[in-house]
Every structure is written in C-alpha cells, then in structure tokens.
Amino acid sequence: MALLIKTDIDRGNAWTEALNAHYPELKTYTWPYDGDPAKIDYALVWQPPKGELKRYPNLRAIFSVGAGIDHLASDPELPPNVPVVRMVEPGLTAGMTQYVVLSVLNHHRFMLDYAAQRRAKVWEEIPQIAAEARQVGMLGLGVLGRDALEKLRAFDFKLAGWSRSPKSITGVTCFHGPAGLDEFLAGTDILVCLLPLTAETADLLNRDLFAKLPAGAAVINVGRGGQLVEEDLIEALDSGQLSGATLDVFRQEPLPEDHPFWEHPRVFMTPHIASMTIPSSAVRAVVANIQRLEAGEALQHVVDLKRGY
Ligand code: NAP
Ligand code: GLV
C-alpha cells in the first residue's frame, strides 16, 4: 500500500513524518516520483501539475491537502473514476474560524480607519455601532461557514447565511439559491465569502453584488480569488459603496508586485493563509479515511465533481 505526496517541500516532509508515525504500514513517496506508477494506491496533493494524476493506473483515492478541490477539478485529465476527497478536519476549521472572527471584528471595530488615523497621527473617536445592529452574512454554509457563524454568535451580531440548498440553523437567517441572494445581501453589513470555486460561484463578488449591499458594507473573501472581480472591488471601495475589504485569496497568487491592492488604504490582505492544513493534525483524517477504504467501508467527504465541490 503506497501513497504519493505532492505539496510544497516543507509541508511534504511534515506529511511524510506524520503519516509514517500514524500509519507505518503505508509506504510514502514524495513527488517527483520515478518509481513504478502502478505501485501508487493513494495520492495526497495540493496543486499537482495538470495531467499528473492520470499517470497512476491503480489510484484508489485522491486526497486534497486543502478543503478546496478547484486545483483538482480544473485538471481536464483528472482520472474520471477515482474518488476525490476534500480536507475536513478540526484544525483547518478552527484556523478559518479564527481568521473570520478576527476579520469581522476588525471591520466592526473600524480598525482600517484607526490604522489610517494612526498613519496621519489623528486622535479621534469613531462612534461605535452595537454588534446587534449589524448583520454578518456568510456566503457558503458548509463545514467552514457554519463553524464561523456558530462562534460569531457569542458577539451578538445578527447572522445570515446563503447556500445552494435550503438550510435551517439556529440563530441564523438562512437564504438559498439565486432567488434568495438579493434579500440576503440587502441586510448584510459584513459579507464573508466561504464558497467553493465552481462555474456558478466564479466572479460572484462583482459590481452588481456590491451595489445590493447596504452602503458602507465590508467584504471578507476567504473563498477563492476567482470569485472576486478585483477591479469592481476597487471601484466599490473608491466610491464608498464598500467601507473596506479583507482579502486572503487572489486571482493570481502570489499577488503581482504592481497590483493596486498592495497600496489600497481600504484593503487588508494576507497571502492565502486564512487557514493552513497542519499535517500533524490533519493526518488523522487522511489515515482514518484510508483505513475505512481498506476495510471495505465508504470514504468520507468525497466531492461531487459534476457539482464542483
Ligand atoms: P463545503 O463544506 O463544501 O461547503 C460549501 C458551501 O458552499 C455549501 O454550503 C454549499 O451549499 C455552498 N455553495 C456551493 N455552491 C453554491 C452556489 N452556487 N450557491 C450557493 N451556495 C453554494 O466547503 P467548506 O469546507 O466549508 O470550504 C469552503 C471553501 O473555503 C473551500 O472550497 C475553499 O475554496 C475555501 N477555503 C479557503 C481557505 C483559505 O485559506 N483561504 C482554507 C480552506 C478553505 P450547500 O450546503 O447547499 O451544498
Ligand atoms: C485552502 O485554501 C484550502 O482549500 O484548504
């Protein structure tokens, strides 16, 4: 039984150590692999080169190192009958919830304004708005969106969420589908995007959507860069329709040096680190799933490639 790891070098080594410690029966190889491709049963990957995974004729499952699987779904030569498993594990969820709570509070407490005041040496109070007077709206009510909303409840924000299928979540006003989007947006002061990148969600965060938010709303994008029309965001920030944005994901990563986001005073940015899979914690999810398959049970968290997530 053998597993091929393709991620960056540092995390690849950490995965090898974690897998060897938790599952010594499983042989691990790191990419590039020049052995017999027929010997590889499993692949654990982040952004493998397109066409790479079709080289292994006996693959039983492809594990994504991250929650998102757009890096796999975008491979036109992805082997069609091999299940693709997304990463669902408590460490990744906790990391994202920390980032979302931090970012919502940053906007709620006017931290972009205070940073600007500090640069200008201005000592001035901005009237505070009560949390219960603000709605946090979550695009995506999956594993990550729901956990973040649950933790945000402690701050007394009004909470709303939008998903593809109908949901019922205590304390969260739920909307779904294209028909539910406008009403969801109309009440949302701080919008968080935790959607997977699919044909339906690409370019969703655009000029029309920003215009449907209350004036002065803030946007936090932790989904994928392909969901945001970047020039529309700059226009909405410059006109005041949006008061600020926190961005962790970008159409091009790393963000090019000449990109206007670097200098924009209403943008807070991080380099795609909102939540990072930590091998020592995530290894349990991968091992448990392989053991399930080896015992003849069904894999958990297999994605629907037609749906795109
Ligand atoms: P998930 O459990 O699969 O949940 C996805 C949610 O999005 C579901 O609620 C789904 O609706 C909703 N959705 C999908 N397509 C939709 C559409 N067309 N219209 C409305 N709602 C739609 O995914 P997750 O584990 O929460 O992860 C979400 C995404 O976060 C990942 O795909 C990845 O892109 C991103 N992420 C980013 C980072 C980072 O560091 N920046 C880290 C981890 C993940 P249903 O419930 O109706 O199916
Ligand atoms: C990171 O972006 C992930 O999808 O886990």
Side-chain angles (χ1 to χ4, degrees):
M1 207 181 8
L3 175 142
L4 177 69
I5 300 165
K6 159 69 182 89
T7 179
D8 59 63
I9 292 168
D10 290 350
R11 284 204 270 179
N13 292 341
W15 271 111
T16 304
E17 276 171 32
L19 284 163
N20 291 346
H22 283 78
Y23 204 177
E25 301 87 339
L26 183 72
K27 274 200 176 128
T28 52
Y29 298 98
T30 47
W31 187 85
Y33 169 73
D34 56 11
D36 178 2
K39 289 200 173 138
I40 300 295
D41 305 287
Y42 299 102
L44 172 69
V45 291
W46 183 248
Q47 300 182 335
K50 306 273 181 261
E52 172 65 16
L53 292 167
K54 75 162 189 208
R55 290 187 48 228
Y56 306 92
N58 296 321
L59 267 189
R60 302 189 64 201
I62 298 167
F63 294 96
S64 170
V65 168
I69 56 90
D70 44 296
H71 62 113
L72 295 167
S74 58
D75 181 349
E77 297 180 280
L78 192 70
N81 299 317
V82 182
V84 172
V85 178
R86 67 202 178 92
M87 184 60 74
V88 177
E89 69 93 23
L92 189 67
T93 305
M96 181 55 80
T97 292
Q98 290 161 13
Y99 189 97
V100 170
V101 170
L102 176 73
S103 305
V104 165
L105 292 177
N106 260 336
H107 289 289
H108 174 57
R109 296 302 307 268
F110 304 108
M111 288 300 156
L112 279 173
D113 301 87
Y114 285 121
Q117 286 190 188
R118 181 185 166 206
R119 284 192 297 272
K121 299 188 178 165
V122 171
W123 182 280
E124 206 170 279
E125 292 171 13
I126 301 168
Q128 187 53 46
I129 295 173
E132 55 264 36
R134 287 220 215 242
Q135 177 166 299
V136 179
M138 184 70 66
L139 292 166
L141 294 173
V143 172
L144 302 180
R146 285 176 82 128
D147 190 72
L149 282 170
E150 197 182 306
K151 306 300 182 328
L152 280 166
R153 191 173 297 143
F155 298 96
D156 294 332
F157 292 109
K158 288 186 276 179
L159 301 175
W162 183 71
S163 53
R164 213 161 80 115
S165 55
K167 297 272 181 293
S168 169
I169 306 173
T170 308
V172 179
T173 309
C174 293
F175 300 86
H176 67 276
L181 186 58
D182 287 6
E183 193 185 345
F184 161 83
L185 293 170
T188 290
D189 304 295
I190 301 177
L191 181 73
V192 182
C193 179
L194 259 173
L195 290 165
L197 180 61
T198 67
E200 287 175 15
T201 66
D203 298 336
L204 182 76
L205 303 175
N206 61 28
R207 178 184 293 132
D208 293 346
L209 181 143
F210 300 143
K212 290 172 184 166
L213 291 165
V219 169
I220 297 166
N221 190 22
V222 273
R224 283 289 183 262
Q227 288 154 346
L228 175 68
V229 181
E230 296 178 341
E231 52 278 23
D232 289 5
L233 179 76
I234 290 174
E235 183 187 287
L237 290 169
D238 290 346
S239 72
Q241 171 58 19
L242 294 180
S243 58
T246 293
L247 306 175
D248 181 58
V249 285
F250 303 88
R251 293 187 97 88
Q252 190 182 335
E253 295 177 3
L255 192 69
E257 264 182 36
D258 59 351
H259 197 289
F261 284 160
W262 287 111
E263 303 287 343
H264 202 290
R266 309 303 307 174
V267 172
F268 182 84
M269 304 188 318
T270 45
H272 199 147
I273 50 75
S275 187
M276 293 188 282
T277 305
I278 301 171
S280 58
S281 131
V283 68
R284 290 181 185 84
V286 176
V287 166
N289 238 345
I290 295 178
Q291 287 175 336
R292 217 172 268 125
L293 197 65
E294 294 290 332
E297 295 165 28
L299 284 167
Q300 288 187 328
H301 311 304
V302 173
V303 300
D304 176 347
L305 285 168
K306 279 209 192 78
R307 203 176 59 163
Y309 69 100

